[in-house]
């Protein structure tokens, strides 16, 4: 008996029913439906999401109310901050527009000489004598006045080497017994009386004062703000002049508190007087430990020290002249300020 193949290619092969969907009742052949594209419809997804929110709101009205209230208050606070900052900037620009802009718009770098005492002598001929300066008990050492002069002269010489540098002597009216005289003005007057500005009128015009700082952190922060007042921008490079044993405090603790780039920060330290060095190192270790715990000197013993160094209750004008730092000025925490700053943008 022969076996026959009824495969696909055999002439005897047949299809009992046509391919496709066949309707037995009507005898009609229906085309096979192709599967539809299964990509999600964004409008339907949004509608479904809205329905979920609506359902949640009906089930938990109080929760939704507080969420909406919190969101609205957050938006209002953000808008008010930016509105006040914008208005202040506009007002400041209009104030200076009549004067032809900022007095030093071309300066790019900042040299800060941190003040340590107030000159009280009526004569400028005794600047190297300790009795010509108002000294705290811990400062009463032979050779102390000479260290102040080294700071002043060092700052002038650094600024003289770069005609794009602003020199600021920083320090407020910190001693009640010295009267309403600032450390900054004392240093500037000494430089003037010694003729260290030389015959360069340009150098003398670039040597100014910041007269509100009450501690080393404010020496740096307030000077940066003062630079903004005078130039309309922030310094590209910063150089600080003070004692060599304070380098760790300025170059690391204070610089990091400001978030200023390490590659653009420089420090020039001069030695303490030989008779005061041992005591100075011990005192510095204590102060440095306090700044590590309280980098913005806004509480505790560091804050109390600042209050004592403001015997005449001078109002601090900052951050009026540097509105971009408003949030930094109001920040008080044990860790570095987390917000953005002009030199990091």
């Amino acid at each position: 008996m022969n076996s026959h193949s009824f495969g696909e290619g055999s002439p005897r092969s047949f299809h009992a029913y046509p391919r496709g969907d066949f309707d037995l009742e009507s005898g009609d052949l229906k085309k096979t439906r192709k599967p539809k594209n299964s990509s999600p419809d964004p409008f339907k997804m949004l509608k479904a999401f809205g329905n979920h929110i609506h359902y949640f709101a009906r089930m938990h009205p109080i929760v939704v109310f507080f969420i909406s209230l919190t969101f609205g208050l957050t938006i209002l606070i953000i808008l008010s901050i930016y509105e006040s900052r914008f208005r202040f900037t506009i007002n400041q620009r209009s104030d200076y527009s009549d004067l032809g802009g900022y007095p030093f718009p071309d300066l790019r770098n900042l040299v800060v000489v941190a003040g340590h005492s107030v000159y009280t002598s009526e004569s400028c001929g005794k600047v190297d004598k300790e009795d010509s300066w108002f000294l705290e008990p811990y400062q009463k050492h032979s050779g102390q006045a000479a260290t102040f002069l080294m700071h002043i002269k060092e700052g002038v010489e650094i600024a003289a080497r770069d005609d794009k540098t602003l020199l600021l002597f920083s320090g407020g009216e910190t001693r009640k017994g010295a009267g309403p005289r600032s450390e900054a003005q004392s240093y500037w007057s000494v430089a003037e009386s010694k003729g260290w500005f030389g015959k360069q009128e340009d150098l003398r015009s670039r040597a100014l004062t910041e007269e509100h700082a009450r501690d080393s952190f404010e020496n740096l922060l307030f000077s940066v703000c003062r630079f903004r007042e005078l130039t309309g921008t922030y310094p590209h490079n910063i150089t600080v002049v003070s004692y060599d044993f304070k380098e760790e405090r300025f170059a690391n603790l204070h610089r990091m508190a400001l978030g200023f780039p390490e590659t653009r920060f420089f420090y020039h330290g001069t030695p303490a007087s030989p008779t005061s060095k041992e005591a100075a190192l011990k005192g510095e270790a204590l102060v440095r430990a306090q700044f590590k715990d309280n980098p913005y000197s806004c509480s505790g013993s560091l804050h109390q020290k600042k209050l004592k160094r403001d015997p005449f209750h001078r109002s601090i004008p900052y951050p009026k002249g540097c509105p971009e730092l408003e949030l930094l000025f109001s920040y008080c925490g044990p860790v570095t300020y987390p917000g953005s700053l002009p030199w990091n943008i």
Side-chain angles (χ1 to χ4, degrees):
M1 183 174 180
N2 295 333
S3 61
H4 298 282
S5 171
F6 293 94
E8 187 77 21
S10 171
R12 290 175 179 259
S13 67
F14 70 96
H15 297 286
Y17 297 102
R19 292 183 179 180
D21 294 335
F22 185 77
D23 191 334
L24 293 176
E25 294 182 0
S26 63
D28 294 334
L29 177 66
K30 297 181 180 180
K31 294 183 178 180
T32 304
R33 295 180 181 180
K34 296 181 179 180
K36 295 183 178 180
N37 190 354
S38 60
S39 61
D41 187 343
F43 295 103
K44 290 184 177 180
M45 292 178 64
L46 286 175
K47 185 177 179 180
F49 182 70
N51 291 336
H52 282 298
I53 293 179
H54 180 69
Y55 177 77
F56 183 83
R58 291 179 59 188
M59 296 299 295
H60 308 282
I62 297 178
V63 175
V64 173
F65 171 76
F66 280 107
I67 291 176
S68 302
L69 181 62
T70 303
F71 180 76
L73 289 175
T74 303
I75 295 298
L76 286 176
I77 292 172
I78 294 174
L79 289 176
S80 64
I81 291 174
Y82 278 94
E83 180 187 15
S84 61
R85 183 179 301 179
F86 176 77
R87 286 184 176 181
F88 181 85
T89 303
I90 294 298
N91 291 337
Q92 186 185 47
R93 288 177 179 175
S94 62
D95 290 342
Y96 286 108
S97 61
D98 297 335
L99 301 176
Y102 295 94
F104 301 99
D106 297 328
L107 300 187
R108 299 183 68 250
N109 303 316
L110 170 64
V111 172
V112 180
V113 177
H116 294 90
S117 186
V118 176
Y119 188 75
T120 56
S121 176
E122 296 181 1
S123 170
C124 289
K126 303 192 302 177
V127 294
D128 57 344
K129 305 297 182 181
E130 276 68 42
D131 58 5
S132 295
W133 298 81
F134 189 91
L135 302 179
E136 296 290 349
Y138 68 87
Q139 293 178 310
K140 293 181 179 180
H141 295 276
S142 176
Q144 189 73 13
T147 65
F148 304 153
L149 301 188
M150 280 192 286
H151 295 159
I152 300 170
K153 191 173 184 180
E154 182 78 9
V156 172
E157 291 177 350
I158 295 172
R161 294 195 289 266
D162 180 11
D163 60 4
K164 297 296 184 182
T165 290
L166 176 69
L167 170 61
L168 287 178
F169 297 109
S170 174
E173 298 172 1
T174 56
R175 288 8 182 211
K176 185 175 183 180
R181 313 180 198 187
S182 71
E183 297 172 352
Q185 189 61 49
S186 297
Y187 279 34
W188 189 95
S189 298
V190 169
E192 172 84 341
S193 67
K194 298 290 284 186
W196 287 337
F197 295 132
K199 297 180 180 180
Q200 304 179 48
E201 185 61 29
D202 170 66
L203 175 58
R204 184 177 183 273
S205 69
R206 292 186 286 112
L208 300 172
T209 59
E210 183 292 302
E211 303 189 45
H212 296 279
R214 299 162 296 179
D215 66 10
S216 56
F217 177 66
E218 289 187 347
N219 284 138
L220 182 58
L221 175 62
F222 289 5
S223 293
V224 169
C225 193
R226 183 77 174 118
F227 187 95
R228 167 69 171 81
E229 286 182 327
L230 293 166
T231 67
T233 185
Y234 290 95
H236 181 73
N237 296 314
I238 297 177
T239 300
V240 174
V241 179
S242 187
Y243 290 108
D244 54 8
F245 61 82
K246 291 188 177 183
E247 182 172 2
E248 171 70 17
R249 191 202 304 190
F250 275 102
N252 288 319
L253 298 180
H254 295 342
R255 179 193 60 78
M256 290 174 63
L258 288 186
F260 198 82
E262 184 178 6
T263 56
R264 292 159 49 191
F265 191 94
F266 306 93
Y267 190 84
H268 285 256
T270 65
S273 64
T275 57
S276 66
K277 186 173 183 180
E278 183 177 353
L281 291 175
K282 290 181 180 179
E284 177 60 18
L286 175 61
V287 174
R288 193 163 57 240
Q290 292 173 333
F291 271 111
K292 285 182 179 179
D293 295 333
N294 185 12
Y296 299 92
S297 62
C298 53
S299 62
S301 59
L302 290 178
H303 181 65
Q304 292 300 317
K305 186 185 295 184
K306 287 198 298 186
L307 296 180
K308 292 179 181 178
R309 288 180 176 175
D310 185 20
F312 304 109
H313 292 194
R314 291 294 303 271
S315 297
I316 306 297
Y318 317 115
K320 184 178 180 181
C322 49
E324 299 85 357
L325 304 184
E326 182 178 359
L327 296 180
L328 174 62
F329 269 81
S330 62
Y331 178 75
C332 181
V335 297
T336 304
Y337 172 69
S340 61
L341 293 166
W343 38 86
N344 292 328
I345 297 176

